Amino acid sequence: MSSNRATTRARRSLQAEDHRGQSLLFPCLLPLVRTPGRKTLCGDVQETAEYAEFHHELRTLFAKDDAFRASVEAFGRAYHAKHSATVDDAELRRRVDTSSAYFLEEFAVFCCRTRRDLPVMVHPGQFSTLAEIAAGRHPQAPDELRELTLVSRRVQGR
């Protein structure tokens, strides 16, 4: 199955409404990659051999590196603790697994962006795993993620 189809399936499975009527989709979904003079859909990036290589590298790192896996899972677990508080443990595990798979796909897209000389990513909030990579805590992460400049926006209410 292509990564694009896997992403679509993951999005559909997470689009169910929770008890408060809030979508379970992450606010950081990237519909496109902007390049000077044109727009490239993430689905197009996911069809490239470059993306497949990064995705494989990240899945391997996730499988073999306990600290990296724990960081990725912790980010999803924190999100779902806020947005899926009433689900049972099995459903929470499924959601964290789906979130982790999605994050690895997103990270592979970020790697492709960096390699294409687009090393700056503006994210609507702090992405702890990427901050850890930037701080050198996951030295086995792809160079492209370690070279990524992440700008985290924090919007505060009154």
Side-chain angles (χ1 to χ4, degrees):
M1 171 183 338
S2 77
S3 296
N4 191 35
R5 280 182 266 160
T7 299
T8 300
R9 188 169 60 184
R11 285 178 181 168
R12 283 185 188 140
S13 71
L14 288 176
Q15 282 178 327
E17 299 292 318
D18 72 5
H19 72 282
R20 293 178 304 264
Q22 298 172 344
S23 174
L24 297 176
L25 278 177
F26 295 97
C28 58
L29 293 176
L30 299 174
L32 54 88
V33 176
R34 292 185 187 269
T35 58
R38 71 172 206 245
K39 296 176 184 176
T40 304
L41 296 175
C42 284
D44 295 337
V45 173
Q46 289 178 305
E47 296 297 326
T48 66
E50 174 184 55
Y51 170 85
E53 291 170 15
F54 283 125
H55 192 229
H56 174 75
E57 182 179 352
L58 288 160
R59 284 191 330 244
T60 301
L61 180 63
F62 184 84
K64 293 182 177 183
D65 186 317
D66 293 339
F68 180 73
R69 182 176 50 257
S71 177
V72 172
E73 288 180 342
F75 189 81
R77 195 171 292 108
Y79 175 87
H80 290 296
K82 293 177 190 172
H83 300 284
S84 307
T86 62
V87 300
D88 64 28
D89 289 344
E91 177 61 15
L92 179 61
R93 179 75 248 171
R94 186 192 70 75
R95 290 181 184 194
V96 169
D97 289 346
T98 300
S99 297
S100 296
Y102 173 77
F103 294 144
L104 297 178
E105 291 178 0
E106 194 171 56
F107 291 174
V109 170
F110 295 170
C111 288
C112 292
R113 287 177 49 92
T114 301
R115 186 171 280 173
R116 295 175 187 185
D117 293 327
L118 296 165
V120 178
M121 170 60 69
V122 178
H123 194 273
Q126 172 105 12
F127 207 135
S128 55
T129 303
L130 293 176
E132 291 173 10
I133 290 169
R137 290 179 46 197
H138 303 290
Q140 300 303 317
D143 291 342
E144 289 77 3
L145 278 184
R146 290 185 284 126
E147 295 167 4
L148 179 70
T149 299
L150 182 66
V151 178
S152 297
R153 294 178 34 176
R154 185 172 176 205
V155 179
Q156 294 182 329
R158 292 181 179 209

